[in-house]
Amino acid sequence: MAGDSAVDIGQLSPEQQQALQQYTDVTGQEITDAMPLLERSQWNVQIAIAKFFDGEGPDLVAEAQAAQNEVPRVAGRHETLHETVWSDIAHQHGLHGANRTPPAPRVVPPRPVTYQAPSLISFLLSPFRMVLRVFASLFRPILYILSFIPQSLRPHALTSSLRKSRRSLLPKETAGRFRREFEEYYGTHDLTFFDGGHAQALDTAKKDLKFLLTILISPEHDDTDSFIKDTLLDPEVVAFINDPANNIIVWGGNVLDSEAYQVSMEYMCTKFPFSCLVCLTPKEGSTRMGIVKRIAGPVSPSVFIAGIRGAIEKYAPDLDSVRAERAAQDMARNLRSEQDSAYERSLAIDRERARQRREAAAAAAEAERRAREEAEAAERKEKLRQQWRRWRATTIAPEPDVSVKDAVRLALNMSQSSGRGRVTRKFAPEASLEDVYAFVECYDLLYPENDEEKGDVEESVEKPENYEHKYAFRIASVMPREVFEPTASVTIAEKMGRGGNLIVEDLVDEEEEE
């Protein structure tokens, strides 16, 4: 700049150099003229800018000291608890407002309210509504044509009409309209604007630890087109903004829209086009978003990039430290989560093993109980069987003597399990096939091998109750083979005549056979 040689900027502190840079970016004043005004304002940039545009009237420095060096706020916006505590601390330690970045408020536009009139009133007002629509349709092209008139020649009423003629939309829809109009006026470009409201963009920058570049344009100003075409859409500027290493989110707004107008008021925009860079300032508050760079009015691409780069280089280390801290917290959280998951898995495995042991113990106890019951049942059944055999042995008719001429003589080949071999016996002709089965079943009792078994037969035994005897063998003829069932309704003489050769075969269960 002109006059740099007459002023030794190196003697200024870093805070004073930053204040001087912010002041000259907004006002465009020479450094030789800017430094005396900043000194009279005690290097308070906002007071100096107010003096530059409004003239030096009352002593704003004294007023600022009486207000405990608080940053001037727009009416209607309340101070947060965090900012109140910081103001008290700053006052106690003698910190001035110039040492802090201006706060970046979160602007949330009110939702558009639509009123639905009653049906009767709507019907009565329908003619007036139709006339109003016709008038608006005729007046809208005129407003569009008049919007191309330079700001210096445009009446104030036309400006107000242009702002009021734009329909209020939701933040996301307003952002979409801004992008469409931007491309219609300036053609396709590689600049990516945030798809959402300014509050959402600010929240995203805070959450992702990025820089939010807010760009406010006003079609009423003559410098808007030159700034966008020559500076904002310059290839170097677009490449710098789109560089992922810079972590920049771009949000743009037209002050003719309600949301962008509120942003310009909250961010104390004094000149258009207006650009500001916002980021998290952890040294001033863990959640505080501050304005780290303002660029007002038309500037060259090199100045625009230099201003943004300088702010990024200054505050990027703070964001990197917060990012590293968050990464460490996430790593610790993930580690705790993995440890908890591993503990839960181990606990689940232990629970499963305990459940399997309980089930195995229960199954073993159940198998033991079932085996004991089966053994007891088999023992009871065997006792009943032996009782039945002793009873049945006493009911078998003795072998007929030689005087019985029609006696049936049978040769029985006993089963191998009995170990008796071949047995020959005569039966009375009226004896049934069941008598033959009973003879084979009770043979060891009828012809005992010792006196103990003979005594068992001679004892008086009653027939067991609720017992149905089943023979574990079958009797069949050899040639031709025929199996005889143990029935009492068929006699031996009917089947065998005067005699025959029979074989005794043990019955095998299907499960045992498999």
Side-chain angles (χ1 to χ4, degrees), residues 225-237:
D225 291 343
S226 60
F227 170 76
I228 294 176
K229 293 178 181 179
D230 300 336
T231 301
L232 186 61
L233 297 183
D234 184 79
E236 294 183 2
V237 175

Side-chain angles (χ1 to χ4, degrees), residues 431-457:
S432 63
L433 292 177
E434 198 277 334
D435 292 333
V436 180
Y437 272 84
F439 171 77
V440 175
E441 182 73 34
C442 302
Y443 182 81
D444 56 340
L445 298 177
L446 295 174
Y447 303 97
E449 296 181 353
N450 51 56
D451 295 339
E452 183 180 355
E453 294 180 357
K454 184 177 180 181
D456 293 340
V457 177

Side-chain angles (χ1 to χ4, degrees), residues 333-349:
R333 189 182 304 109
N334 294 335
L335 180 60
R336 287 195 301 269
S337 178
E338 292 177 358
Q339 291 176 348
D340 294 341
S341 300
Y343 174 75
E344 291 296 335
R345 289 194 299 269
S346 177
L347 186 61
I349 292 174

Side-chain angles (χ1 to χ4, degrees), residues 152-218:
S152 59
L153 302 178
R154 187 183 304 171
H156 179 72
L158 176 59
T159 301
S160 301
S161 300
L162 289 174
R163 179 176 290 110
K164 294 180 180 178
S165 63
R166 293 175 68 87
R167 185 164 62 95
S168 179
L169 301 175
L170 295 175
K172 187 176 181 63
E173 298 174 352
T174 303
R177 180 170 62 184
F178 173 80
R179 292 195 304 273
R180 290 193 301 270
E181 294 178 351
F182 194 90
E183 292 183 356
E184 290 176 1
Y185 292 150
Y186 306 106
T188 57
H189 55 86
D190 296 331
L191 205 60
T192 303
F193 289 100
F194 184 81
D195 186 17
H198 186 269
Q200 288 75 25
L202 190 70
D203 295 341
T204 302
K206 178 187 292 186
K207 179 176 66 70
D208 298 340
L209 298 177
K210 293 185 177 182
F211 294 91
L212 174 61
L213 178 60
T214 300
I215 299 174
L216 298 177
I217 62 174
S218 175

Side-chain angles (χ1 to χ4, degrees), residues 476-489:
S477 60
V478 181
M479 294 295 293
R481 178 175 174 79
E482 181 181 359
V483 178
F484 304 105
E485 298 297 332
T487 175
S489 60

Side-chain angles (χ1 to χ4, degrees), residues 12-64:
L12 301 179
S13 64
E15 292 79 7
Q16 293 176 344
Q17 293 181 8
Q18 180 183 1
L20 178 62
Q21 180 65 32
Q22 293 178 356
Y23 176 80
T24 56
D25 289 344
V26 174
T27 62
Q29 195 176 18
E30 297 293 338
I31 294 180
T32 54
D33 299 330
M35 288 186 61
L37 182 57
L38 285 171
E39 291 176 354
R40 290 194 300 272
S41 303
Q42 293 191 1
W43 295 96
N44 190 308
V45 179
Q46 295 179 354
I47 295 177
I49 292 175
K51 287 183 178 181
F52 177 80
F53 286 103
D54 300 336
E56 295 192 43
D59 190 357
L60 298 180
V61 176
E63 295 179 1

